[in-house]
Amino acid sequence: MAGVLMLGAWLAPLPARAAVLAPSPPLRDYAIDLWTSRDGLPHNSIRDIAQTADGYLWFATWEGLVRYNGLDFTTFDRSTRPALADNGIGGLYVDPKGALWLSDSRGNVSRYTPDGKLKIWPRPAAVPEVLIPAMAMDHRGNLWMLFEGRGLAQLTPDGRTLYEAPKDDSPLRTAYTRMVIDARDRIWVGSNEGLVIRDPDGTVHAASKDYGLPAGFAWPYMAPDGTLWVVAQDCLYRLEGEALVMVHQLPDAGRLTALLEDRHGDLWIGTESIGVLRAGKYGIEHLSSGLPLPRGRITSLKEDAEGSVWVGANGGLFRLRETLFTNTTARDGLGSDYVRAVLQDVGGDLWVGNSTGLDRIGPERRISHVDLPTSTGKPPSVLSLAQQRDGTLWIGTANDGLYRRAPDGAVQRYGAEQGLAAGTVRGVSVGLDGVVWLATQRGVARVDGDRVVSPPGVPQTLTTAVYSEAGAVWVGTLEGALVLRGDQVQSLPLEALGGGRTVFGFIRLGDAMWMSTDRGLYRVRGGKLARVGLEQGVPVDAVFQLIPDRDGHLWLTSNRGVLRTDLASLDRVADGLQPRVVMTGYNEMDGMASSQANGSSGPTAVVREDGTLWVATAGGVATVDPRRLQWFRERPSPPVVIDDVEQDGLPLPWRDTPALKLEGGHRLSVSYVGLSYLLPERTEYRTRLEGLDNEWVRRGRQRSVEFIRLPPGDYTLHVSAAHPDGPWSQREAVLHFSIAPFLWQRHSVQAAAGALLLLLLFGLYRYRVHRYQTRTKRLTRLVDERTRDLQVQAQQLRDADRDKTGLLHQLLLQSEAFERQAREDVLTGLPNRRALDERLEQEIARARRGGQPLCMAMLDVDHFKKVNDQYSHGVGDVVLKQVGALLVRHARDADMAARSGGEEFCLVFTDTALEQAAQACARLRELFHGQAGWGGIDGLQITFSAGLVQLEDGDVSPASLYQRADRLLYRAKRNGRDRIEHD
């Protein structure tokens, strides 16, 4: 009974909390998890589901009884210990004392108690050898069993089985798989011919006609609150007094096979062929047919202690659980799941930009597509959204320019003809003055009437974000952040503080501007720059958008989910008053269809008028109501159970005794699990070993603990669990054990050992005196022998010194050879990247001192992978050697040719201006064209693409030359290859 009380304590707070803080969401917002035989189930047909007082879930299958702890399935069958009487489990029933009863396909019944003991009542000879699909216990403790088409039997508390065979014309001959016992100990049985009732006096009669039910198929269901329901054909009836009142009719549902009333009072309905329905405050809801759910008949429904609904089907097991996040996806009508921007307009509608255009979500989540004309006829990929106060909507796209949608629906497009640079428009910002600013492929721009113009002095580089406020425009690029104030352009030194380069978004919070970058968050306040990134506790590098909700939280979007924190914590870390920021992360386990929140577009998150947060992800739009956080934080802590106990890897019978008696000197391993099924992967644990240490030890998500060579004594292991951010469970798992002392640790043995030690010490004294006298005589003789040995060793040392000198000379020669190899490419014989870097450092310094020009070309062999794939890597190696030889032959003595990696080479032109270097590269290109038979292959033509740069004042290291040359090389590749690009 203690187990029942503990489970009651776990369950009792939930209904009130659910009613107050977490009303049931629409059926479409439940997360669905699916398990089949591929995930550890022994069979895909789940006949029945139960949950015992300790928190375990149990499933009846044709291949045994299955226990689930949230992470692993454990199967009990005829081959396990304890062994079942038969593998085909017909039904499950948890009695008032918390014991689990199970029936099988051969008429046997068994009881599994919380201490792990299994007792089997074999089928008596007079009882039919058929499936028992249902069991129930009356108020006198008799367990009633329904035999498939063969009547009823009861197992009395004293262990006797009393069988009641049905008459030939009895409706029990067609009994269905459902049976319940009401408060008056009447047994209600379902059958294909109608409802059957057995009265306490033993009278069995057909009851459908008495209760006004339609003829034919009917069966009963007893809700957890004691309400009796009856399913008759396509109708659901509730017993009120002594009358069955029809509550729901489901004319298109087909045959109804399972029923569940949850803690909200909603009814879950299993069907023969159309899955699961729910009847409640949202009407009759049906799970979408687009979900990957098991097909076929729904056999069982069960609500667990945490409010999740488990569904057994002929094709597997699935669960519906409430989650913090819900999703709007293509399944609901979006044009695409790949969403890049979300925006709420002045009328409260949500605009969603995705890879196939623009959608509008109106009241009750009605989705409509908005047409945007393009030159190709294909819908544009929308990257950014913004709205003016008059309702005008601005829409930035990937390749189709900018759209202006007036409040009346008229659409105007801005493209190259209007001055807009080709490529992406990743951000749109409308300032307080009504000016529309754009983040384009070629820098920041603004809309001026029917034209798009670029302000002077702004770098023409890919712009990723723009934010307009009074007196300033903040611009994010791939190379940092800029601030435009009138005609002045200020560059912010992000890279010098933590390495930030790409800026994804801006937001003004109080007197500070916060920037989301590829190296965390940056804050500008009072002209000072501060950073909060990976080193300060942000769990990811790249964050896309920072947005406050209406409950005081700050939310960050990233490629690894959504993060939550608060502004005070961020400010303390940025000010150096706190070492690490506290953040909570959310991902698919919290209901997000995809944890990848998109960036380089915007806005990627928006807080709507109702306080909900909507986030653009690669799996649709994820939605969270911050007000539900309180309910998730206050969920009851998971109960903990000991799962397994082993000594030196061998299992121990820990359930069979109140306290284990163990020998010392061994390794004791204890596995445990918190029985939470919502987020079992995030459950955290702590342990305390009473008798050794009274302090709790945090174990994180570790589900086992080991103790090696514990000292003798009595111990009690306590294990507690908690949800993330939640309290520790008061219901602990406890294991008592004792370690017996070794023989030498007993007091009597220690006293005898002390006396023996004294005798040994006296004998040792006498022995050492004798030995001292003997050793004195030997000492003189040994001195002479050792002196001779030392003279021999001295000569050996002198010989070894000569050998060492020769060896050092050999090592010096070998070191010089290694140094040469470290700067030389093995295949081509050219200097490698290391040698090239050293030479460039020298040449840059020399050019600075003498004021002489210096150029560098980066060459890449075109389509080299095709050479390897078509002719073999051996031919590719010959081609690389020929390229290296050609470069060396036609380079001046003062120049340098090097192989920087793969099919990439570099040429350094000293004392050479850009025009002369370009001519030299052009001659080299003609030499490539003129050489035939590359790699020994007739007709094989090799070309190259190159990026050529000249040393400028801003180039402070070889790295800056490489970067500039690499961008030009990329442009040469993009413009068709076999060409030389230079500034």
Side-chain angles (χ1 to χ4, degrees):
M1 183 63 71
V4 176
L5 294 176
M6 285 187 287
L7 181 62
W10 188 35
L11 291 176
L14 283 178
R17 176 177 291 111
V20 174
L21 295 178
S24 60
L27 187 57
R28 65 171 305 282
D29 287 341
Y30 279 77
I32 299 178
D33 306 293
L34 171 66
W35 295 267
T36 66
S37 55
R38 295 182 178 180
D39 306 297
L41 288 172
H43 195 275
N44 283 331
S45 182
I46 309 298
R47 294 190 52 81
D48 205 355
I49 306 172
Q51 186 172 28
T52 47
D54 50 18
Y56 281 114
L57 281 170
W58 301 83
F59 308 107
T61 79
W62 287 115
E63 291 297 331
L65 175 68
V66 181
R67 186 181 69 193
Y68 186 50
N69 62 14
L71 297 170
D72 306 303
F73 293 102
T74 301
T75 300
F76 300 89
D77 56 25
R78 295 183 63 244
S79 67
T80 59
R81 292 294 177 268
L84 303 184
D86 184 61
N87 288 350
I89 307 302
L92 302 175
Y93 174 75
V94 180
D95 69 20
K97 295 183 179 180
L100 176 70
W101 293 81
L102 51 144
S103 59
D104 62 38
S105 62
R106 300 196 176 202
N108 307 297
V109 66
S110 306
R111 183 184 66 196
Y112 189 90
T113 52
D115 59 1
K117 302 293 180 61
L118 179 72
K119 182 175 181 180
I120 301 174
W121 281 266
R123 176 190 60 84
V127 173
E129 190 178 6
V130 296
L131 177 72
I132 301 176
M135 296 172 288
M137 188 171 285
D138 63 23
H139 292 83
R140 293 171 295 174
N142 297 308
L143 181 73
W144 288 86
M145 298 163 282
L146 174 65
F147 289 82
E148 190 172 47
R150 302 293 292 275
L152 299 168
Q154 59 176 306
L155 179 64
T156 64
D158 58 5
R160 294 176 297 122
T161 300
L162 306 178
Y163 174 60
E164 299 178 2
K167 297 180 180 179
D168 291 340
D169 59 350
S170 172
L172 290 177
R173 290 289 184 183
T174 62
Y176 190 59
T177 59
R178 308 293 178 189
M179 175 183 71
V180 300
I181 300 178
D182 66 15
R184 294 166 52 188
D185 277 346
R186 292 181 297 180
I187 302 175
W188 300 62
V189 181
S191 82
N192 287 321
E193 296 178 0
L195 190 64
V196 181
I197 294 180
R198 180 195 182 277
D199 293 321
D201 61 4
T203 304
V204 178
H205 57 92
S208 289
K209 186 175 181 180
D210 297 339
Y211 284 98
L213 301 179
F217 173 76
W219 53 271
Y221 163 73
M222 184 70 73
D225 62 1
T227 302
L228 181 66
W229 292 83
V230 173
V231 175
Q233 298 297 348
D234 59 359
C235 298
L236 301 180
Y237 296 83
R238 182 173 57 219
L239 184 64
E240 299 179 3
E242 280 302 308
L244 285 173
V245 178
M246 188 175 74
V247 179
H248 297 287
Q249 185 172 15
L250 309 169
D252 299 320
R255 193 177 179 109
L256 309 183
T257 56
L259 193 62
L260 168 69
E261 183 180 359
D262 67 17
R263 66 195 59 200
H264 303 293
D266 296 335
L267 285 177
W268 298 76
I269 306 150
T271 70
E272 187 76 35
S273 59
I274 66 170
V276 176
L277 310 175
R278 187 177 70 170
K281 65 179 181 180
Y282 300 102
I284 304 298
E285 302 169 278
H286 182 236
L287 286 178
S288 170
S289 59
L291 295 171
L293 301 177
R295 303 215 178 257
R297 185 169 180 251
I298 302 300
T299 56
S300 52
L301 295 166
K302 175 66 179 178
E303 183 183 26
D304 69 17
E306 295 175 302
S308 296
V309 175
W310 296 78
V311 183
N314 282 341
L317 170 72
F318 64 97
R319 173 184 63 182
L320 294 96
R321 58 184 170 93
E322 296 182 37
T323 59
L324 185 60
F325 283 81
T326 60
N327 302 279
T328 304
T329 66
R331 172 168 59 91
D332 305 298
L334 286 183
S336 168
D337 282 338
Y338 199 76
V339 177
R340 301 302 299 268
V342 289
L343 175 74
Q344 179 175 274
D345 65 18
V346 294
D349 288 352
L350 187 75
W351 296 83
V352 180
N354 55 61
S355 60
T356 60
L358 183 64
D359 294 313
R360 185 175 189 171
I361 303 179
E364 299 181 2
R365 292 192 183 181
R366 289 192 299 268
I367 299 175
S368 58
H369 185 71
V370 178
D371 291 328
L372 297 174
T374 63
S375 58
T376 62
K378 297 180 180 179
S381 177
V382 174
L383 299 180
S384 53
L385 298 168
Q387 191 174 45
Q388 292 179 300
R389 294 179 179 179
D390 63 357
T392 299
L393 184 68
W394 295 89
I395 306 151
T397 70
N399 295 295
D400 293 283
L402 174 73
Y403 292 86
R404 176 185 179 275
R405 187 179 189 276
D408 61 2
V411 175
Q412 178 184 357
R413 180 176 175 273
Y414 293 77
E417 299 82 0
Q418 289 75 32
L420 179 63
T424 59
V425 180
R426 296 183 177 272
V428 184
S429 178
V430 179
L432 296 175
D433 54 3
V435 176
V436 178
W437 291 88
L438 311 175
T440 78
Q441 190 86 19
R442 301 287 296 173
V444 68
R446 60 183 173 82
V447 178
D448 186 1
D450 293 331
R451 300 288 299 171
V452 175
V453 297
S454 299
V458 177
Q460 301 294 299
T461 186
L462 176 62
T463 307
T464 52
V466 62
Y467 183 92
S468 176
E469 63 177 0
V473 177
W474 299 74
V475 181
T477 74
L478 295 179
E479 299 176 359
L482 306 172
V483 186
L484 279 63
R485 292 185 175 92
D487 296 332
Q488 300 297 315
V489 179
Q490 177 190 2
S491 178
L492 299 178
L494 303 187
E495 192 165 10
L497 182 63
R501 286 182 58 82
T502 303
V503 178
F504 299 109
F506 302 91
I507 186 170
R508 170 69 67 179
L509 296 176
D511 61 347
M513 176 62 73
W514 288 87
M515 292 174 281
S516 308
T517 78
D518 60 348
R519 287 296 183 270
L521 294 169
Y522 285 82
R523 185 192 70 183
V524 179
R525 187 169 68 183
K528 295 182 178 180
L529 188 65
R531 173 176 173 267
V532 182
L534 196 66
E535 300 82 357
Q536 291 77 35
V538 180
V540 296
D541 257 334
V543 291
F544 299 137
Q545 185 170 343
L546 176 67
I547 184 171
D549 65 20
R550 297 180 181 177
D551 295 300
H553 308 115
L554 288 180
W555 299 80
L556 291 85
T557 64
S558 77
N559 276 325
R560 299 185 192 175
V562 177
L563 309 171
R564 178 176 58 82
T565 185
D566 61 88
L567 182 58
S569 180
L570 287 180
D571 276 331
R572 285 194 298 270
V573 174
D575 291 335
L577 304 177
Q578 179 176 311
R580 296 178 67 82
V581 67
V582 178
M583 287 194 173
T584 304
Y586 305 94
N587 53 31
E588 286 90 348
M589 285 192 292
D590 301 286
M592 296 182 69
S594 171
S595 62
Q596 178 186 328
N598 289 316
S600 291
S601 56
T604 57
V606 63
V607 174
R608 303 190 70 181
E609 288 182 352
D610 61 2
T612 56
L613 174 71
W614 295 63
V615 181
T617 78
V621 183
T623 307
V624 58
D625 187 345
R627 292 167 295 187
R628 288 174 58 85
L629 287 171
Q630 186 70 16
W631 180 79
F632 276 83
R633 282 197 296 264
E634 292 185 0
R635 286 174 298 161
S637 303
V640 190
V641 295
I642 302 295
D643 208 33
D644 191 29
V645 181
E646 295 182 350
Q647 180 175 274
D648 296 335
L650 300 176
L652 294 175
W654 59 277
R655 288 188 175 93
D656 298 337
T657 177
L660 287 171
K661 306 291 185 182
L662 306 175
E663 297 179 355
H666 297 279
R667 183 181 79 253
L668 179 66
S669 303
V670 181
S671 300
Y672 43 80
V673 63
L675 295 178
S676 170
Y677 302 95
L678 289 176
L679 297 173
E681 299 87 352
R682 292 184 180 174
T683 301
E684 298 180 354
Y685 300 93
R686 64 176 182 174
T687 64
R688 178 170 61 92
L689 185 58
E690 187 179 336
L692 181 68
D693 188 356
N694 289 326
E695 298 296 326
W696 286 98
V697 178
R698 297 286 292 266
R699 302 289 179 181
R701 297 173 186 173
Q702 177 183 324
R703 290 180 49 232
S704 64
V705 63
E706 285 192 353
F707 303 101
I708 301 176
R709 299 183 182 277
L710 285 171
D714 297 325
Y715 298 94
T716 300
L717 176 65
H718 300 262
V719 185
S720 180
H723 293 297
D725 298 330
W728 292 102
S729 57
Q730 298 301 311
R731 175 185 169 188
E732 304 170 356
V734 177
L735 177 69
H736 303 282
F737 64 94
S738 61
I739 304 294
F742 288 109
L743 181 64
W744 53 267
Q745 292 175 318
R746 299 174 182 173
H747 294 304
S748 59
V749 174
Q750 290 173 349
L756 181 60
L757 179 61
L758 290 175
L759 290 174
L760 288 174
L761 288 174
F762 179 75
L764 179 62
Y765 168 75
R766 297 288 297 173
Y767 170 75
R768 288 181 65 86
V769 170
H770 173 73
R771 184 171 179 80
Y772 172 75
Q773 294 171 346
T774 303
R775 292 184 65 182
T776 301
K777 295 177 182 179
R778 294 172 54 195
L779 183 59
T780 303
R781 184 176 71 253
L782 290 174
V783 169
D784 295 338
E785 293 175 355
R786 295 293 174 85
T787 300
R788 288 192 296 272
D789 290 339
L790 288 172
Q791 292 172 346
V792 173
Q793 292 174 6
Q795 182 59 42
Q796 291 174 345
L797 287 173
R798 287 191 291 271
D799 295 341
D801 184 66
R802 287 193 299 271
D803 294 339
K804 181 186 71 174
T805 302
L807 179 60
L808 287 174
H809 180 68
Q810 292 177 0
L811 290 174
L812 179 60
L813 295 177
Q814 190 174 20
S815 176
E816 292 173 352
F818 286 160
E819 181 68 20
R820 204 165 45 251
Q821 293 174 4
R823 288 173 168 78
E824 184 177 284
D825 177 58
V826 176
L827 179 64
T828 63
L830 293 177
N832 61 12
R833 177 62 177 265
R834 178 178 176 183
L836 177 62
D837 287 344
E838 293 174 354
R839 177 67 179 275
L840 269 177
E841 289 278 1
Q842 298 169 1
E843 294 298 339
I844 289 174
R846 192 175 66 84
R848 297 285 190 217
R849 290 193 303 271
Q852 299 298 323
L854 174 67
C855 291
M856 188 191 78
M858 184 177 290
L859 288 68
D860 188 273
V861 178
D862 294 329
H863 304 296
F864 184 72
K865 185 177 183 301
K866 291 184 178 179
V867 174
N868 281 335
D869 294 343
Q870 186 171 354
Y871 300 105
S872 80
H873 287 272
V875 172
D877 288 345
V878 173
V879 169
L880 292 177
K881 290 178 181 179
Q882 290 176 323
V883 170
L886 192 149
L887 295 177
V888 170
R889 284 199 307 272
H890 296 283
R892 299 179 306 175
D893 292 340
D895 298 336
M896 180 184 188
R899 183 185 180 195
S900 55
E903 62 268 27
E904 188 174 276
F905 297 81
C906 284
L907 284 172
V908 179
F909 300 94
T910 61
D911 299 332
T912 305
L914 184 64
E915 180 177 359
Q916 296 169 323
Q919 294 172 358
C921 290
R923 290 194 297 271
L924 189 61
R925 178 170 171 267
E926 292 173 0
L927 291 172
F928 268 61
H929 289 175
Q931 180 161 331
W934 285 88
I937 304 298
D938 292 337
L940 177 58
Q941 182 65 47
I942 297 298
T943 63
F944 69 83
S945 300
L948 176 64
V949 296
Q950 181 174 340
L951 181 67
E952 295 178 355
D953 292 339
D955 298 320
V956 296
S957 67
S960 57
L961 282 175
Y962 288 141
Q963 292 172 356
R964 292 173 50 218
D966 187 67
R967 285 197 295 270
L968 292 170
L969 172 60
Y970 174 76
R971 190 167 74 187
K973 291 283 187 180
R974 187 178 58 199
N975 291 338
R977 293 184 171 86
D978 190 18
R979 60 190 296 119
I980 302 159
E981 296 283 351
H982 57 79
D983 292 323

